[in-house]
Amino acid sequence: PHAKLISTMSLLLGTTITISSNHWMMAWTGLEINTLAIIPLISKSHHPRAIEASIKYFLVQAAASALVLFSSMINAWFTGQWDITQLTHPTACLLLTTAIAMKLGLVPFHFWFPEVLQGSSLITALLLSTMMKFPPITILYLTSHSLNPTLLTAMAIASAALGGWMGLNQTQIRKILAFSSISHLGWMAIILIYNPKLTLMTFYLYTLMTTTVFLTLNTTKVTKLSTLMTSWTKIPALNVTLMLTLLSLAGLPPLTGFLPKWLIIQELTKQEMTTAATIIAMLSLLGLFFYLRLAYYSTITLPPNSTNYMKQWHANKPTSTLIAILTSLSISLLPLSPMILATI
């Protein structure tokens, strides 16, 4: 418990330091504290896969941190500025984009992310795909005015494409959610330069929906598609809401997840990037396919009797209030979009 408490507190501390810092060294320190705090949480189960995941995570994040330091030092060397918002040197901008892409798992630096998520437990996977993405996205938000638009757009479209393609033939739910995270990051990156607040809003809504999905799966203890097929007997109502949340993640209109996609496509057309908007909208159909597949497995099929898995017992314990609140938010926020738009 003490180690867990220290790790969790360090996670919160590292995130807070990074998002509230103006100086590059402080931002870097926060990122390092975060990396070191999550490693015990990944390797907690002592399974060979978990150990492998934590080593992969450590190596990638260490390389990314070194690049962040390198880029800020180049910028300081040429401009004499250590302020995050004063990133003006082109080489420093390129290096920073690379480093943050490694930290977030944007294509072409995405290879570590599905593997690490597969090696860790559902709650750690939730932390990795939401909380650990927040500091790097904050840094991108602060430096958004000086980044290279072509590079970011290319990375974003590649992420949306690859997140969609690779998620199609996965059977492990954590890997599917990892690829879903990569494609959502593509949506965030493409709009970053033109409307950074929209990126943050997309991130918040993505976090909300992913948290709901992970907590639901953690309640029903499901990690792969074949067990998802028989989990409907456990808590039927929870599975129905899981289906709606997954469709919301896919971005279908009456649900919350449609809001960021709609606003991003609108903003891209305002910026006369119609081609990019069309491509990324088409690529989200790939994602829709595997979300529909998950939704189909979770509720719509009553599985045929020839499964090799035992049907699970109906759970009597009540579903937590937190999951109920999060599910309601991740399904029904779309009518409130004028209010959300007024706040950003």
Side-chain angles (χ1 to χ4, degrees):
H2 291 300
K4 203 170 182 181
L5 180 71
I6 290 171
S7 292
T8 322
M9 293 304 289
S10 308
L11 262 179
L12 293 170
L13 175 75
T15 308
T16 316
I17 287 177
T18 305
I19 62 180
S20 57
S21 60
N22 281 326
H23 195 288
W24 273 114
M25 292 310 275
M26 286 304 284
W28 174 79
T29 313
L31 288 172
E32 281 298 287
I33 292 174
N34 252 0
T35 304
L36 293 175
I38 194 90
I39 284 175
L41 295 177
I42 301 175
S43 58
K44 199 177 71 174
S45 65
H46 298 300
H47 188 278
R49 200 168 230 172
I51 306 295
E52 182 193 347
S54 49
I55 290 172
K56 278 178 183 168
Y57 184 76
F58 175 71
L59 291 174
V60 172
Q61 299 296 319
S65 287
L67 277 176
V68 168
L69 257 187
F70 188 33
S71 103
S72 54
M73 281 172 72
I74 287 179
N75 193 55
W77 180 264
F78 282 102
T79 62
Q81 284 281 359
W82 278 102
D83 195 323
I84 292 186
T85 49
Q86 304 293 322
L87 187 77
T88 47
H89 195 263
T91 319
C93 291
L94 280 175
L95 275 171
L96 180 84
T97 313
T98 312
I100 299 294
M102 280 175 84
K103 281 218 166 279
L104 288 172
L106 270 172
V107 173
F109 309 103
H110 63 281
F111 296 102
W112 61 275
F113 191 52
E115 302 294 326
V116 171
L117 238 63
Q118 185 53 36
S120 43
S121 69
L122 281 166
I123 297 295
T124 314
L126 166 65
L127 282 176
L128 279 171
S129 45
T130 54
M131 178 110 167
M132 302 300 291
K133 299 276 169 84
F134 190 39
I137 282 185
T138 318
I139 292 180
L140 277 183
Y141 176 77
L142 290 173
T143 56
S144 59
H145 51 83
S146 52
L147 298 175
N148 181 344
T150 326
L151 177 68
L152 266 179
T153 309
M155 276 182 159
I157 289 179
S159 296
L162 201 122
W165 275 119
M166 299 285 284
L168 291 180
N169 59 353
Q170 300 294 337
T171 55
Q172 297 287 345
I173 294 178
R174 278 168 296 189
K175 277 198 175 174
I176 294 181
L177 287 169
F179 286 117
S180 117
S181 176
I182 292 171
S183 60
H184 275 276
L185 281 171
W187 280 87
M188 291 172 216
I190 200 164
I191 202 66
L192 181 72
I193 294 172
Y194 309 106
N195 192 342
K197 285 185 173 168
L198 194 50
T199 298
L200 275 187
M201 194 204 72
T202 311
F203 178 70
Y204 294 147
L205 289 178
Y206 160 74
T207 304
L208 168 75
M209 295 182 287
T210 311
T211 310
T212 314
V213 171
F214 271 115
L215 289 177
T216 307
L217 293 174
N218 191 49
T219 309
T220 51
K221 295 284 176 280
V222 170
T223 52
K224 52 181 190 288
L225 284 179
S226 47
T227 45
L228 183 63
M229 283 168 85
T230 55
S231 71
W232 60 272
T233 50
K234 258 188 180 176
I235 312 176
L238 193 61
N239 262 27
V240 175
T241 53
L242 172 66
M243 179 187 83
L244 288 171
T245 313
L246 285 165
L247 294 179
S248 179
L249 256 179
L252 288 184
L255 306 164
T256 308
F258 177 60
L259 175 63
K261 285 190 165 54
W262 162 41
L263 292 177
I264 287 173
I265 288 177
Q266 187 182 333
E267 186 67 35
L268 284 175
T269 28
K270 274 185 199 163
Q271 301 291 341
E272 296 182 359
M273 293 177 63
T274 330
T275 332
T278 314
I279 293 172
I280 203 162
M282 299 291 271
L283 289 173
S284 72
L285 289 175
L286 289 169
L288 175 64
F289 181 80
F290 61 75
Y291 290 123
L292 275 177
R293 187 162 148 227
L294 277 175
Y296 189 73
Y297 276 133
S298 69
T299 19
I300 305 172
T301 64
L302 295 183
N305 295 330
S306 57
T307 50
N308 302 330
Y309 295 91
M310 295 288 288
K311 284 215 173 58
Q312 295 165 3
W313 287 96
H314 187 85
N316 270 332
K317 59 178 183 196
T319 311
S320 73
T321 326
L322 177 66
I323 295 184
I325 295 169
L326 286 174
T327 309
S328 313
L329 286 175
S330 56
I331 290 170
S332 56
L333 272 187
L334 190 66
L336 297 178
S337 44
M339 191 181 83
I340 296 170
L341 282 175
T343 56
I344 66 167

